[in-house]
Amino acid sequence: ASQMNLVATFMPKPIFGDNGSGMHTHQSLWRDSANAFYDSRDEYAELSQTGRYYIGGLIEHGRALAAIVSPTTNSYKRLVPGYEAPVYLAWSKRNRSAAVRVPMYHRGIEAAKRVEYRPPDPSTNPYLAFAAMAMAGLDGIKKKLEPGDPVDENIYHLSVHRRQQLGIRELPGSLKDALEELRSDSEFLKPVFSNSLLEAYQDIKTQEWKEESIRPTPFEYYQYFDI
């Protein structure tokens, strides 16, 4: 990039009005050379019940996961309706407005069966993010959390009432909100994340939010400086 007089960045939303940069993560579980997410008998997406429970865990804990997989104040400028951002905690085969997708390019390929979790962005710490997503999915399997029916409609175009009917929740709207969700929903992480790690992480990220929140932005000058 430097040789071409360009700049490479891991910012989730460096440019206003353009799509942000996501870090969609593809996940599957295997046992004895068999893909635990694959079921050829499932007509919708060849997804096993284990795979559905895994998705159920990601959706159940999605608001708390946001603090880890979307860990910067800039992350929440990407996670807004439109711009192909996965704002809504729902799942589908093909739906850019849903947080979880089950890719279906060809049928009958066991090795390709996976779950794609779309909220993470490249500002995250991958060691924390991948561990947290795995713990959310495994908690879904352990507790047999159903993800609900798949949503193939464009969720951006649904009314608030319709989303409520379908039980679709949104991701947090800010890092502050995400951290509050993590404080109230962190038990699923405890087998891997120690209390001291979670407390330190929350303190660091809360300070990041505070530092950003007290600084005027260029847009605020444009909007308010000369009224």
Short mmCIF file of all heavy atoms in Angstrom, two decimals, residues 182 184-191 195:
data_model
loop_
_atom_site.label_atom_id
_atom_site.label_comp_id
_atom_site.label_asym_id
_atom_site.label_seq_id
_atom_site.Cartn_x
_atom_site.Cartn_y
_atom_site.Cartn_z
N LEU A 182 -22.35 -6.96 27.93
CA LEU A 182 -21.35 -7.94 28.36
C LEU A 182 -21.34 -8.08 29.87
O LEU A 182 -21.16 -9.19 30.40
CB LEU A 182 -19.97 -7.52 27.85
CG LEU A 182 -18.80 -8.45 28.19
CD1 LEU A 182 -19.02 -9.85 27.61
CD2 LEU A 182 -17.48 -7.86 27.69
N SER A 184 -23.84 -7.87 31.83
CA SER A 184 -25.01 -8.62 32.28
C SER A 184 -25.09 -10.02 31.69
O SER A 184 -25.91 -10.84 32.13
CB SER A 184 -26.29 -7.84 31.92
OG SER A 184 -26.42 -7.71 30.51
N ASP A 185 -24.26 -10.32 30.70
CA ASP A 185 -24.30 -11.63 30.05
C ASP A 185 -22.88 -12.08 29.74
O ASP A 185 -22.40 -11.96 28.62
CB ASP A 185 -25.12 -11.56 28.76
CG ASP A 185 -25.19 -12.89 28.02
OD1 ASP A 185 -25.00 -13.95 28.67
OD2 ASP A 185 -25.40 -12.88 26.79
N SER A 186 -22.21 -12.62 30.76
CA SER A 186 -20.82 -13.08 30.57
C SER A 186 -20.58 -14.47 31.12
O SER A 186 -19.47 -15.00 30.98
CB SER A 186 -19.85 -12.10 31.23
OG SER A 186 -20.09 -12.01 32.62
N GLU A 187 -21.61 -15.09 31.70
CA GLU A 187 -21.42 -16.41 32.30
C GLU A 187 -20.98 -17.44 31.27
O GLU A 187 -20.20 -18.35 31.57
CB GLU A 187 -22.69 -16.88 33.00
CG GLU A 187 -22.96 -16.19 34.33
CD GLU A 187 -21.84 -16.38 35.34
OE1 GLU A 187 -21.37 -17.54 35.47
OE2 GLU A 187 -21.44 -15.40 35.96
N PHE A 188 -21.47 -17.32 30.04
CA PHE A 188 -21.11 -18.30 29.00
C PHE A 188 -19.63 -18.25 28.66
O PHE A 188 -19.08 -19.21 28.11
CB PHE A 188 -21.96 -18.07 27.74
CG PHE A 188 -21.61 -16.83 26.96
CD1 PHE A 188 -20.77 -16.90 25.85
CD2 PHE A 188 -22.10 -15.59 27.34
CE1 PHE A 188 -20.46 -15.76 25.11
CE2 PHE A 188 -21.80 -14.44 26.61
CZ PHE A 188 -20.97 -14.53 25.50
N LEU A 189 -18.97 -17.16 29.00
CA LEU A 189 -17.53 -17.01 28.73
C LEU A 189 -16.65 -17.55 29.85
O LEU A 189 -15.46 -17.80 29.64
CB LEU A 189 -17.19 -15.53 28.51
CG LEU A 189 -17.84 -14.83 27.31
CD1 LEU A 189 -17.58 -13.32 27.40
CD2 LEU A 189 -17.30 -15.39 26.01
N LYS A 190 -17.22 -17.74 31.04
CA LYS A 190 -16.43 -18.02 32.24
C LYS A 190 -15.56 -19.27 32.15
O LYS A 190 -14.48 -19.31 32.75
CB LYS A 190 -17.34 -18.09 33.47
CG LYS A 190 -18.03 -16.77 33.82
CD LYS A 190 -17.05 -15.68 34.19
CE LYS A 190 -17.73 -14.36 34.48
NZ LYS A 190 -18.57 -14.36 35.68
N PRO A 191 -15.96 -20.33 31.43
CA PRO A 191 -15.06 -21.49 31.34
C PRO A 191 -13.71 -21.17 30.71
O PRO A 191 -12.74 -21.91 30.91
CB PRO A 191 -15.84 -22.49 30.49
CG PRO A 191 -17.28 -22.14 30.70
CD PRO A 191 -17.28 -20.64 30.82
N ASN A 195 -12.47 -13.87 35.40
CA ASN A 195 -13.10 -12.63 35.85
C ASN A 195 -12.15 -11.45 35.72
O ASN A 195 -12.56 -10.35 35.33
CB ASN A 195 -13.55 -12.77 37.31
CG ASN A 195 -14.77 -13.66 37.46
OD1 ASN A 195 -15.60 -13.73 36.56
ND2 ASN A 195 -14.88 -14.32 38.60
#
